[in-house]
Amino acid sequence: SGLIVSNHSYGIATTDYYGNPIPASYFGKYDAGSQYLDNILYQLEYYLTVWAAGNDRSDYSILNPGKSGYDLLTREGNSKNNLVVGSIRQIDNYTNPSQVRISSFSNYGPTDDGRIKPDITAKGDEVYSATAISDWSYGTMYGTSMAAPSAAGGLVLMQQHANETYGDYLRSATLRALVAHTALKAGSEGSPNYRFGWGVMNVEGATNIITNDGDSTLLKEMKLIDGQNYLRSLEASEVEDLIATIAWTDLPGETSQGTDDRTPVLVNDLDIRLIEIEGDTYYPYVLDPNNPSASATTGDNFRDNIEKIEVSNPEGEYNLSISHKGILEEGEQKLSLIMSGITNKPLVLETYDNNKYICVNSVDENAIELLVSSEYNIENTVLTVEDAPQGVTVIIDDSDLGNGIVTLNISGLLNLNSDTYVFKIKAVNGADEAHLYPVINIANDLFEPVELVSPENGEDMHR
């Protein structure tokens, strides 16, 4: 019970009473206001605030000169866990990104640490709206203050549809994941970018994800415990792009220092990968805050708490991996996973024990717990190890298969040198087949000390 979506069509003034601009260091900065909002949203995981990006771009040469209109977001607009909305003009029958026109006043990102903000855009140009002149007056309005409530209304409809479908509401991180996952592409530089964020709000697309969950889409609210690495089998539908998105509500970060501080404000840094069986590994989108007008690339995203992967013309089976860097603060991190362009597989393999690290010559035995799910009699599932490293024995314990748990008992690890070893697991249930490729890393802790040339030992260097 309580508020789950709220709209905020306001922000700090960018000039004082006399028209003097605020210091340029305010723009893009993760400050006490950004941090405070993130703390509220972290404590209330179902509550999402929607924030207008602001209308200062016409004055960028005065407010933040030398940035070509980029880096104009302030305070709550630089938070991690909210949804920041920019403004576009009316679109009739969207077919391609070139139709989307940004409003001349709508503020661009990025944040100083390079996160993708604003998150999304919606119509805020020439909006016929109620006015304050009287109780019955209307007029044509302009501003991200018009775009933000449009997005907020869409989020409420998404929550209503989710409640009718699942009997419960979605975490705010799930809403943000849905928005990014289904956004209509916008911008000549490609999506995502620092002007339109992930693109244009697409409420119909988001509700279709919910409607088709378990068929051609997947919506999963989950949790990683510190040290876990999630791996899941899936199959591409081959009739549309394969898309995977994760989002999480992150702990409030440390406030930024100075101007254009590139130090990431992420506390818990999660990573998503799509791994084609016997093929390539696909990475999420990455933007460069030092070149804000450039097209997105793909790679290791260490800035955003939304990560999205798109695979064009997918074929066959893939493994989805979700992991984390370092140590998870508070020992865990809840996250939301959205997938589309998949086919409903009656048989699915999962594990939270992927990518284990074991010190060389330390132990001879270890175990990987697999989770098995099937639409048919699960006890008819037969698991085999298609390939195991030489000198290693794998015994499959399926005594708890009725509860969907199978354990791989691995011995002979003392025979392995430091390297990465893949265990190819096949599950068969009637005509259904699934593959999972968990990994064990044998690590060597013997290394030569490194003497840094730059920066000098003991000094900090911010990315």
Side-chain angles (χ1 to χ4, degrees):
S1 61
L3 203 61
I4 54 175
V5 175
S6 62
N7 179 72
H8 304 263
S9 290
Y10 52 84
I12 67 170
T14 53
T15 57
D16 64 16
Y17 179 78
Y18 301 101
N20 299 311
I22 61 175
S25 61
Y26 279 41
F27 295 105
K29 186 174 185 178
Y30 188 81
D31 61 13
S34 318
Q35 183 188 60
Y36 183 74
L37 179 59
D38 275 341
N39 186 50
I40 291 173
L41 297 175
Y42 183 78
Q43 300 298 327
L44 305 171
E45 63 178 12
Y46 286 87
Y47 175 45
L48 181 58
T49 56
V50 181
W51 226 274
N55 311 315
D56 303 302
R57 191 159 52 84
S58 299
D59 298 321
Y60 76 85
S61 60
I62 299 171
L63 297 173
N64 200 3
K67 298 294 184 66
S68 301
Y70 290 91
D71 192 11
L72 287 172
L73 302 175
T74 58
R75 191 141 309 194
E76 292 87 357
N78 296 310
S79 295
K80 294 179 286 184
N81 299 326
N82 64 344
L83 194 80
V84 180
V85 184
S87 173
I88 58 170
R89 303 191 69 181
Q90 174 74 30
I91 305 172
D92 295 316
N93 301 318
Y94 176 94
T95 58
N96 63 77
S98 65
Q99 293 175 275
V100 187
R101 295 173 293 166
I102 195 81
S103 299
S104 60
F105 49 79
S106 187
N107 286 352
Y108 295 166
T111 62
D112 284 351
D113 65 322
R115 282 176 289 115
I116 298 170
K117 292 285 180 177
D119 297 280
I120 201 70
T121 58
K123 181 183 176 182
D125 214 303
E126 295 187 288
V127 177
Y128 191 63
S129 175
T131 69
I133 296 174
S134 70
D135 290 344
W136 52 86
S137 62
Y138 290 83
T140 301
M141 308 287 284
Y142 297 79
T144 57
S145 290
M146 298 290 104
S150 171
L155 293 168
V156 172
L157 292 174
M158 290 157 59
Q159 283 283 32
Q160 179 182 347
H161 185 55
N163 187 259
E164 292 171 349
T165 302
Y166 303 120
D168 203 354
Y169 295 107
L170 302 172
R171 297 174 186 164
S172 64
T174 311
L175 285 185
R176 293 190 298 111
L178 282 167
V179 168
H181 189 94
T182 59
L184 303 175
K185 294 182 182 298
S188 56
E189 66 271 55
S191 292
N193 56 64
Y194 290 133
R195 298 190 297 147
F196 298 89
W198 294 101
V200 181
M201 185 86 167
N202 180 7
V203 178
E204 181 182 18
T207 53
N208 285 340
I209 294 287
I210 297 169
T211 300
N212 297 319
D213 184 16
D215 185 8
S216 59
T217 67
L218 173 70
L219 187 155
K220 184 179 179 70
E221 295 185 331
M222 51 191 295
K223 178 171 66 176
L224 278 188
I225 304 297
D226 185 50
Q228 287 184 334
N229 181 307
Y230 176 74
L231 195 69
R232 177 191 177 96
S233 65
L234 61 100
E235 187 168 340
S237 67
E238 303 183 5
V239 297
E240 59 181 322
D241 290 349
L242 174 61
I243 307 176
T245 305
I246 58 170
W248 63 100
T249 301
D250 198 35
L251 285 155
E254 296 293 329
T255 55
S256 302
Q257 305 300 314
T259 303
D260 294 340
D261 184 355
R262 298 290 189 237
T263 306
V265 298
L266 269 187
V267 176
N268 288 334
D269 185 359
L270 306 186
D271 292 309
I272 184 174
R273 307 286 187 261
L274 277 173
I275 307 156
E276 189 175 13
I277 299 298
E278 307 287 1
D280 296 328
T281 297
Y282 296 87
Y283 294 83
Y285 287 114
V286 177
L287 290 177
D288 180 5
N290 296 312
N291 192 5
S293 62
S295 300
T297 58
T298 58
D300 177 25
N301 188 329
F302 55 85
R303 299 184 178 100
D304 295 287
N305 58 337
I306 298 178
E307 294 194 0
K308 179 179 179 180
I309 300 174
E310 293 187 82
V311 180
S312 300
N313 303 313
E315 293 182 359
E317 278 192 282
Y318 293 77
N319 278 185
L320 168 79
S321 168
I322 303 174
S323 60
H324 69 84
K325 296 184 181 75
I327 297 173
L328 290 178
E329 293 293 328
E330 300 197 350
E332 64 181 38
Q333 177 63 61
K334 294 178 180 179
L335 70 137
S336 301
L337 167 65
I338 310 293
M339 295 202 68
S340 61
I342 60 176
T343 187
N344 180 29
K345 291 194 67 174
L347 181 63
V348 175
L349 288 178
E350 301 171 283
T351 183
Y352 286 85
D353 285 342
N354 182 46
N355 208 29
K356 284 189 169 183
Y357 277 83
I358 300 170
C359 192
V360 67
N361 297 325
S362 61
V363 296
D364 189 57
E365 298 180 352
N366 210 289
I368 297 176
E369 183 180 86
L370 303 181
L371 306 178
V372 184
S373 58
S374 176
E375 293 182 2
Y376 308 112
N377 186 352
I378 195 170
E379 294 187 346
N380 291 335
T381 306
V382 177
L383 280 84
T384 56
V385 180
E386 292 188 306
D387 195 10
Q390 188 173 0
V392 170
T393 300
V394 181
I395 297 176
I396 299 175
D397 178 2
D398 60 0
S399 59
D400 202 16
L401 179 58
N403 292 317
I405 299 173
V406 172
T407 304
L408 306 181
N409 293 306
I410 304 167
S411 60
L413 296 176
L414 292 176
N415 297 323
L416 301 180
N417 296 319
S418 56
D419 206 343
T420 298
Y421 297 92
V422 180
F423 292 80
K424 300 180 180 180
I425 313 302
K426 181 171 75 172
V428 177
N429 189 328
D432 303 319
E433 190 171 308
H435 297 84
L436 198 70
Y437 287 9
V439 170
I440 287 183
N441 295 280
I442 306 296
N444 193 331
D445 62 358
L446 298 177
F447 65 94
E448 293 293 330
V450 176
E451 184 70 24
L452 292 178
V453 176
S454 176
E456 294 183 5
N457 283 330
E459 291 188 358
D460 293 331
M461 181 173 72
H462 301 312
R463 291 190 274 193

